[in-house]
Amino acid sequence: MFLSKVTAHGYKAASDHPLECHLPGRFSVLAGPNSGGKSTIIESILLSHRDVFPYTGRPTAAALSRSVSSRSIEIAYELEENDHSPLGELCRADGRLPEWTTELSASMGRVSASRTEAISEGQLPVLYLAPTRTPTTELSGRDARLIVELLRSQALRDRGDKSLKELRGRLGGLISSVVSKWPVADAEARVAEALRELTDGVSGHMPYLGTTAIDDTFLARVFEFLLAAGGADRFDAHRIETEGLGYANLLQLAVVLAAIPDLTHATVRDPEESAVDDVEADATGFATDRDAASVGDDDQGDTDDRSDEDRAAAMEEAVEQRELEDDAFFARQFHALVLLEEPEAHLHPQLQHGLVRYLKEVVEARPEVQVVLTTHSDEIVSACEPADLVVFRRGVSGAPAARTIASFGLKNAHLDQARRHLDVNRSATIFAERVVLVEGVTDAMVLRVLAKAWAGEDRVRRRFADALTITVVGSRIGAWMPELLTREGKEISTRLAVLRDSDGKTAPKWVTSRVNDHFGYFLSEPTLEPTLVPGNEEVILAVFDAMKISNLPWDDGDGPTSDNVRAWFARKGKGRKAKFADQFSAHVERDLQGVVVPPQMQQLLDFTWEGFLPESVVPTADASEEDGTDADGESHDAQVAEPPSGS
């Protein structure tokens, strides 16, 4: 299930004309210019939903239209194909989906929302990370409520309920143990002596230094998150307000995602081990309390033969569980909507690309989670599928419009081509530590997909391949950019690799004098396409077939070779290189394990990867035996790459 449609009218960008936004699925990216309507849609979601964390203040009434009499927000959810979300199944059983209208009005200078959503409390929670978010408040401040929800989520995952009673007991015991120790006991005695002198003449009183109630407020104040660089440990961690805002923002997002109870992994409580089932969900999806008076009675009303002490304990647990459910942010069956505005704020361009890929994986794995981003970053957009995008524009009349690319009816082949071109046209060269320069889009497209094949099943290498900055220079790669990025002693890039065609020529003189630990030069001999053939003959056959090439560059009974493919592209196929690269990339993506990475690209990727992981976090041989990797992260059957060559 997912929020599929938001229609605002009479509010902000939709002041004069309705703004209807169709979200394509459980992962959406809202892109477009300022004042295009992205924030209007986000704020409309916040105003129309009851359960929002953290609490957001009501916007000023100036945001309401003066020319529209009925100012409203319409919300509609729908089921995905083969929907398996817990709340979706409840709604399917009930035969209705959440859909409602929220009326907006002015009240004491603020926007007042009249919500009429037909859904139970906690079943449609919204977690909002504003563009002006302050992770230090939520994760290390004096009201870190988000951490409490994280602990409850972990309790649900491990034990099947959200109770933190055991944790509170441990903390209470620790605090109580110091009451009789110095300096607490001595300070208490000094105050007692003074108070006796003040009160004994009328009614003597005795003061005691006790412990505070170990409740959620206490937990929110006693815990905070710390951060340490990779390879460090808990004792080297420091408070997050001293860390860069980019990493603090990512930490906050990580905690938000972890705090959402994982319904796909939650432990199911055994009814026989529980004294009482305090809450059950009926077929409509509304959470209902069981009658406390019926606890312990079966359907036939058999006599409860438990002792008074057992019954009292059961009733106490029932009350505690009800209070826990009342105070929890999430219901037992829910659909969580994460709204993340401008994730690129304070975030390095390479981390932006990996962030989107990770969020898509989370949504894929957890059917109860939906993520909506707003962005101005081409890095964020390049990491998306075109079908994920909603582009906001204003028409000639000035009316806002939200254009959902998934609704355009484009052919899948066109969408795939758009995605691959979005993926390779990224401009973060000057900010990246590891950069690859290529001459054309086809080189970048093929290198990007082969980097995924190079990464294999290694999780860190996959992230590295996703984040690798590949810049299309568009012409012969000269000395000026390597000179800028890898000037000796003033290096901007830790590793800069150049990939270009040799065209039968030797490397320029400036290359041989510059190759070092920071700069590598790699040649496709004589051009890209022939180097892809060895080991990939079946792939090349499939690509030529997909391109509908009738006169193949090899005779019947023979197959593709570097020589005949080279000759074909030099003559008849001269204008088909882009199509070939597109089809080759599409084929490789469908079977990453069935491709051989050409030597020059293998060496290039090894060069850019070298030194990426600190020695302190490189897996040891013992630790990596199970997943088939060596201590340096290489697959056991991987081809050993030669060091980068200058020719």
Side-chain angles (χ1 to χ4, degrees), residues 286 594 608-609 627:
F286 288 85
T608 55
W609 162 261
D627 62 11

Side-chain angles (χ1 to χ4, degrees), residues 288-304:
T288 59
D289 290 337
R290 296 182 64 181
D291 185 357
S294 67
V295 173
D297 295 341
D298 59 20
D299 294 338
Q300 286 73 36
D302 292 344
T303 303
D304 188 351

Side-chain angles (χ1 to χ4, degrees), residues 14-192:
S15 179
D16 300 317
H17 303 274
L19 175 57
E20 184 173 283
C21 176
H22 291 268
L23 300 174
R26 288 189 298 110
F27 182 83
S28 308
V29 175
L30 313 185
N34 290 328
S35 301
K38 301 186 301 297
S39 294
T40 298
I41 293 299
I42 295 297
E43 291 177 21
S44 295
I45 295 173
L46 299 175
L47 286 167
S48 57
H49 285 71
R50 174 176 49 205
D51 301 309
V52 177
F53 181 86
Y55 172 77
T56 56
R58 294 184 298 160
T60 174
L64 295 174
S65 173
R66 296 183 179 181
S67 61
V68 176
S69 58
S70 178
R71 298 161 294 198
S72 63
I73 301 166
E74 296 178 8
I75 294 293
Y77 283 76
E78 67 178 73
L79 295 174
E80 293 180 293
E81 185 177 355
N82 300 321
D83 194 291
H84 298 296
S85 63
L87 186 57
E89 292 177 355
L90 283 175
C91 292
R92 183 186 291 110
D94 186 48
R96 62 191 175 97
L97 289 166
E99 187 174 1
W100 69 89
T101 299
T102 298
E103 300 292 338
L104 303 180
S105 60
S107 176
M108 300 183 67
R110 295 287 175 179
V111 174
S112 176
S114 174
R115 305 181 187 91
T116 58
E117 67 268 41
I119 200 74
S120 261
E121 185 174 359
Q123 289 189 318
L124 291 177
V126 177
L127 298 105
Y128 176 52
L129 295 177
T132 55
R133 52 193 172 274
T134 53
T136 53
T137 301
E138 285 299 324
L139 303 181
S140 66
R142 300 278 62 85
D143 186 24
R145 175 73 189 195
L146 181 57
I147 294 179
V148 177
E149 293 298 332
L150 170 65
L151 297 175
R152 283 180 169 171
S153 172
Q154 191 64 38
L156 179 67
R157 183 186 180 98
D158 294 342
R159 302 188 177 185
D161 64 49
K162 304 173 185 175
S163 175
L164 299 177
K165 184 176 181 179
E166 181 179 342
L167 176 61
R168 292 192 183 97
R170 290 179 179 177
L171 289 172
L174 290 172
I175 295 175
S176 297
S177 67
V178 304
V179 170
S180 60
K181 304 293 191 302
W182 178 90
V184 179
D186 299 71
E188 179 185 87
R190 288 182 60 203
V191 174

Side-chain angles (χ1 to χ4, degrees), residues 228-300:
D233 56 28
R234 181 185 299 272
F235 299 101
D236 296 320
H238 46 77
R239 302 194 69 176
I240 62 174
E241 53 259 56
T242 67
E243 183 57 85
L245 284 174
Y247 287 105
N249 281 336
L250 288 180
L251 173 61
Q252 184 184 21
L253 176 60
V255 176
V256 165
L257 294 173
I260 301 173
D262 191 342
L263 301 184
T264 60
H265 292 89
T267 301
V268 179
R269 296 179 67 188
D270 186 347
E272 296 182 358
E273 294 180 359
S274 177
V276 64
D277 281 329
D278 54 288
V279 177
E280 62 182 3
D282 64 15
T284 66
F286 288 85
T288 59
D289 290 337
R290 296 182 64 181
D291 185 357
S294 67
V295 173
D297 295 341
D298 59 20
D299 294 338
Q300 286 73 36

Side-chain angles (χ1 to χ4, degrees), residues 468-522:
L468 182 62
T469 296
I470 303 174
T471 298
V472 178
V473 176
S475 61
R476 289 281 182 186
I477 300 171
W480 70 270
M481 190 171 286
E483 174 71 16
L484 170 66
L485 297 177
T486 59
R487 189 176 182 83
E488 186 175 356
K490 300 179 181 179
E491 292 84 2
I492 296 175
S493 297
T494 303
R495 296 267 167 164
L496 174 65
V498 168
L499 176 66
R500 54 165 292 186
D501 296 341
S502 72
D503 293 325
K505 301 176 182 179
T506 59
K509 292 182 179 180
W510 66 265
V511 171
T512 55
S513 63
R514 176 165 293 281
V515 169
N516 55 30
D517 289 342
H518 299 286
F519 175 69
Y521 193 81
F522 306 87

Side-chain angles (χ1 to χ4, degrees), residues 15 54 221 314 388 559 590:
S15 179
R221 294 188 175 192
D388 299 331
R590 290 192 292 268

Side-chain angles (χ1 to χ4, degrees), residues 351-463:
L351 289 173
Q352 295 173 30
H353 198 81
L355 166 65
V356 172
R357 296 297 172 94
Y358 174 71
L359 290 175
K360 288 175 68 69
E361 291 174 6
V362 169
V363 167
E364 180 69 24
R366 301 185 58 182
E368 71 273 14
V369 176
Q370 179 177 357
V371 175
V372 178
L373 310 181
T374 69
T375 187
H376 293 281
S377 168
D378 58 350
E379 293 290 329
I380 297 294
V381 171
S382 73
C384 302
E385 301 285 341
D388 299 331
L389 293 173
V390 181
V391 182
F392 286 75
R393 290 287 184 267
R394 285 190 177 271
V396 178
S397 65
R403 298 189 173 95
T404 305
I405 293 179
S407 67
F408 288 1
L410 298 176
K411 295 179 180 179
N412 288 334
H414 291 172
L415 288 173
D416 289 342
Q417 190 174 26
R419 176 182 56 78
R420 285 191 288 274
H421 279 274
L422 280 175
D423 187 45
V424 300
N425 283 297
R426 294 190 281 145
S427 53
T429 307
I430 201 67
F431 305 107
E433 288 193 9
R434 294 166 191 266
V435 182
V436 179
L437 305 181
V438 297
E439 292 178 307
V441 172
T442 56
D443 302 273
M445 185 185 302
V446 172
L447 178 60
R448 174 71 69 189
V449 72
L450 287 176
K452 297 177 183 178
W454 165 85
E457 297 299 318
D458 188 306
R459 180 186 63 83
V460 179
R461 285 195 178 211
R462 291 201 307 269
R463 301 297 183 210

